Amino acid sequence: MTTDIDNEHHADAGVGFRSVWKYLFRTPHKLDWIDVAGIKTRYLEAGSPSAPVVILLHGAAGSLENFLANIAEYARHFRVLAIDMVGAGWTDKPDYPYTPNVYVKHLRGFMDALGIERAALVGNALGSTVAVYFAKRWPERVRRLVLVGIGAIISDQASFDRFMAGVKSRRGNTAEAPTWENVHHVFKNLLLREEDRLDELIALRLEIYQTREMRQAMPHLFATAAADTCLSHDEWRAIETPMLVVAAVDAPNPMFANNARLVGELCPNARVVEIPGCAMWPQYEQAAAFHAASIPFLLDVAAAPPGDL
């Protein structure tokens, strides 16, 4: 027999429980695959088909789960499409280097396959590089940009070299030995707080990394981890697409916050928002602040005052 005390105990226990599914289980959505020029591409879609389109682009060797804390809130305002980019997640992993050109052609093919003429792009880390390259090449197809953990720019060469060496080492070790400990180490550099490194997040990525296809693809992912894939300051100045650049000011590595501030100085239509209490995934660790800044920007309305973030 269950008592009221037992019910109260179980209710309290569920309040703090976090999982991937809890972010989405009340939000209508579709998880599917679509053929993009021969590349079977995984994507998640939510929101009204008639709403403005926002495409979410994850970080290096990541997956659409990078944005699991944002899809439901974004779907209240937008047609949201989160994809596994070529060579990552459960999307196909062809046997050639994944250069910026490969990524943007895949993104354009994805948009074409779904009949999307124009979209806003939200990119995290590598995803920010892909978003910027896409806007540079096809500005008429990009409405707005939100750039998180911004790459494709060098604010300090020594910091850039150290970071890229670390990424190659961590991801290479994880590809060679896809263990729980190695994947957890990757997340230590993505998320500031231990409580945000959910076992479910680690388990999902571990399952991807344990596939033969991912082990073969991992070296191809480093094709963008080089100085020659960064845009010059003059190239950044020439980008006129409105952009919101997120600076995670408490991240252990200050390079990305410095990158964000530099882009804010260079680009004519850039706005920088500083979000504390997070590392490489402010959209996840500080989702409320991220939504308060990014959703009004993407809707092209006045953002919440800084004190409300």
Side-chain angles (χ1 to χ4, degrees):
M1 179 177 177
T2 303
T3 68
D4 290 341
I5 294 175
D6 290 331
N7 287 331
E8 183 179 346
H9 170 74
H10 290 308
D12 290 343
V15 170
F17 180 78
R18 296 172 63 191
S19 79
V20 172
W21 184 236
K22 277 191 71 177
Y23 285 106
L24 286 174
F25 79 122
R26 290 180 294 179
T27 299
H29 65 277
K30 177 179 74 172
L31 183 66
D32 205 351
W33 278 256
I34 191 170
D35 183 273
V36 178
I39 297 173
K40 188 178 179 183
T41 300
R42 176 180 177 245
Y43 72 101
L44 187 149
E45 181 172 5
S48 170
S50 62
V53 178
V54 175
I55 300 176
L56 309 178
L57 305 171
H58 60 75
S63 65
L64 60 84
E65 281 78 17
N66 277 47
F67 296 99
L68 59 90
N70 315 113
I71 292 167
E73 187 64 25
Y74 267 41
R76 295 175 57 201
H77 309 277
F78 311 110
R79 179 187 178 189
V80 183
L81 295 160
I83 73 171
D84 286 352
M85 293 192 292
V86 59
W90 295 109
T91 288
D92 282 350
K93 299 165 181 65
D95 188 18
Y96 48 73
Y98 308 137
T99 62
N101 185 55
V102 168
Y103 283 117
V104 298
K105 287 178 65 177
H106 177 249
L107 176 56
R108 177 170 177 165
F110 174 78
M111 292 173 65
D112 290 346
L114 289 178
I116 297 168
E117 289 297 321
R118 200 161 180 253
L121 304 178
V122 178
N124 175 227
L126 170 65
S128 72
T129 297
V130 176
V132 167
Y133 264 86
F134 192 94
K136 181 174 179 290
R137 187 163 178 179
W138 295 295
E140 72 281 0
R141 301 198 65 172
V142 182
R143 192 171 57 82
R144 295 197 155 214
L145 296 170
V146 175
L147 307 177
V148 184
I150 191 167
I153 191 168
I154 297 177
S155 55
D156 178 81
Q157 186 67 55
S159 296
F160 177 87
D161 293 341
R162 284 194 301 272
F163 175 79
M164 288 305 180
V167 168
K168 291 179 181 180
S169 175
R170 288 189 296 273
R171 303 302 168 92
N173 290 341
T174 305
E176 291 298 320
T179 65
W180 185 277
E181 291 74 20
N182 282 343
V183 174
H184 186 271
H185 185 61
V186 169
F187 274 93
K188 285 182 68 175
N189 290 276
L190 297 176
L191 302 173
L192 191 63
R193 300 177 305 220
E194 178 64 32
E195 60 266 30
D196 286 325
R197 302 168 197 151
L198 302 185
D199 285 353
E200 194 173 3
L201 278 177
I202 297 169
L204 290 170
R205 188 167 294 200
L206 177 60
E207 186 160 337
I208 295 169
Y209 282 12
Q210 286 176 331
T211 64
R212 176 179 57 85
E213 293 80 6
M214 191 66 193
R215 290 196 295 273
Q216 292 177 342
M218 191 66 79
H220 295 321
L221 292 166
F222 298 139
T224 56
D228 61 5
T229 64
C230 294
L231 301 181
S232 70
H233 290 188
D234 284 341
E235 287 176 304
W236 277 100
R237 290 187 184 97
I239 298 173
E240 297 182 353
T241 306
M243 64 179 75
L244 180 72
V245 187
V246 178
V249 293
D250 291 337
N253 186 343
M255 182 184 78
F256 290 97
N258 292 335
N259 287 354
R261 295 181 183 111
L262 178 56
V263 168
E265 294 171 6
L266 295 174
C267 294
N269 296 313
R271 173 184 168 226
V272 178
V273 59
E274 296 188 351
I275 298 181
C278 51
M280 289 294 292
W281 283 18
Q283 78 279 5
Y284 170 72
E285 290 191 276
Q286 298 295 335
F290 179 78
H291 296 153
S294 65
I295 290 174
F297 172 79
L298 291 168
L299 291 171
D300 195 15
V301 298
D308 293 343
L309 295 183

